Amino acid sequence: MPHTDTEITAELIRELLRDQHPDLAGHPLRLGARGWDNQLWRLGDDLAVRLPWATEHADALLRKEHTWVPSLAPLLPLPVPVPQRLGHASARFPRSWTVTTWVPGSPADRAAATRATAADSLAAFLTALHRPAPESAPVSGYGRGGPLADLTEGFERQLASAVEQELIPDPDAVRALWDDAVAAPPWTGPPLWLHGDLHPANILTSEGTFCGVIDFGDLCAGDPACDLAAPWILLPDGALDRFHRAYQPTPDAATLRRARGWALLRAFSGILIGEAGLQGRPGGKPSWGPPAHASLRRLLAADRP
């Protein structure tokens, strides 16, 4: 990951706040997390500062959140980080940054949902989010929400890597699942709002269920099957049918087939990132492996919709 040349410290952030948002500069400040794109620093009790640090496009994602999330957040039944201020590039820090509300909870890759009622919570969130998006809504630069067939090359690379590392039990079954998902009829409805990146590190838990959703940098419009992959990797065993009963409108068989393909991509990513973490390789996150392996196990064990 191409980290920013500027070292991000508490003093730097305080200087940025003094320059652009001086009313916030006196709040206590402490590091919260270092993600793929941004660093998150907790500001006082109720706010957070997010600064791009590891990818070239991170500040564009923050500006996208600042544009769209404030109008979506009041419609959602789970708390989400709502942008409050936008920081502009300056001599001290050459990139955009934001101040958002703070959402308490533990990332699901470290504290998984264990209660069946988590299915109801996730279904309510996605039912509320999946509404027709305006024509000006962003389109994913990674193909999320688009045709699965466009991602076949990436699937083949991930499959080859997983097979080489002996990380999957039945490559033939995996390929059959993918082929079935790609062959499913396409989405013919209007483009819907999508979170676009519902992996376990982007959803928060408390007392065994979901209590918040974070990181809307991949917010986009498209096929809801992309987000409907989430139950496979986020829910405890036995809760998938409960989710499908609670989500509205009830997904048709074609959407569920496509969702299984998206879930397979999500599982592969988590398995490979988790293994990289176990091996100490850059970008690896050991906590991503267990939920991804569980998701693949569920996908291969289930009957086709």
Side-chain angles (χ1 to χ4, degrees):
M1 296 184 289
H3 293 193
T4 182
D5 292 334
T6 305
E7 182 182 4
I8 298 175
T9 65
E11 184 54 36
L12 171 66
I13 297 171
R14 204 169 299 284
E15 289 178 1
L16 296 175
L17 291 170
R18 288 193 194 105
D19 286 349
Q20 300 188 31
H21 303 285
D23 57 312
L24 301 178
H27 291 257
L29 191 64
R30 60 188 184 277
L31 179 63
R34 292 185 175 93
W36 287 112
D37 299 305
N38 305 293
Q39 288 193 24
L40 178 71
W41 290 70
R42 190 166 181 180
L43 182 65
D45 293 329
D46 303 319
L47 297 173
V49 182
R50 296 181 71 204
L51 304 95
W53 80 301
T55 57
E56 295 179 357
H57 60 268
D59 38 355
L61 302 183
L62 291 178
R63 291 195 297 271
K64 177 170 64 172
E65 290 182 347
H66 190 267
T67 298
W68 294 104
V69 172
S71 62
L72 291 172
L75 309 174
L76 304 175
L78 288 174
V80 303
V82 182
Q84 304 293 300
R85 311 281 183 93
L86 181 63
H88 300 286
S90 66
R92 283 189 172 89
F93 190 73
R95 307 182 71 173
S96 301
W97 48 279
T98 61
V99 178
T100 73
T101 55
W102 173 262
V103 180
S106 300
D109 62 317
R110 299 183 181 276
T114 55
R115 293 166 53 186
T117 53
D120 303 329
S121 179
L122 182 62
F125 175 82
L126 289 179
T127 295
L129 177 63
H130 289 172
R131 58 185 63 217
E135 291 185 3
S136 57
V139 176
S140 171
Y142 303 105
R144 293 170 185 173
L148 268 176
D150 292 351
L151 302 177
T152 296
E153 183 178 345
F155 164 79
E156 295 290 353
R157 286 198 304 269
Q158 289 188 320
L159 177 61
S161 180
V163 169
E164 181 181 2
Q165 298 179 66
E166 300 181 346
L167 297 175
I168 57 175
D170 190 342
D172 291 339
V174 167
R175 185 174 294 281
L177 192 159
W178 175 257
D179 290 345
D180 180 72
V182 169
W187 174 250
T188 57
L192 304 184
W193 276 120
L194 310 175
H195 179 279
D197 201 22
L198 286 173
H199 59 71
N202 281 345
I203 190 160
L204 304 178
T205 64
S206 177
E207 298 181 350
T209 192
F210 302 126
C211 64
V213 179
I214 61 174
D215 196 347
F216 282 73
D218 287 310
L219 182 74
C220 61
D223 177 3
C226 175
D227 277 356
L228 292 175
W232 294 98
I233 198 166
L234 294 175
L235 295 179
D237 286 341
L240 186 66
D241 288 344
R242 180 166 175 162
F243 170 87
H244 289 145
R245 290 193 298 269
Y247 174 84
Q248 296 298 319
T250 302
D252 60 24
T255 297
L256 292 179
R257 288 168 63 191
R258 297 193 306 277
R260 285 162 57 89
W262 284 104
L264 184 60
L265 289 176
R266 178 66 66 199
F268 269 6
S269 294
I271 288 170
L272 293 172
I273 291 169
E275 183 65 16
L278 292 175
Q279 300 300 324
R281 297 195 294 269
K285 298 177 182 288
S287 62
W288 285 36
H293 281 288
S295 177
L296 182 61
R297 172 177 52 78
R298 295 178 191 127
L299 285 163
L300 296 181
D303 293 330
R304 292 182 182 177

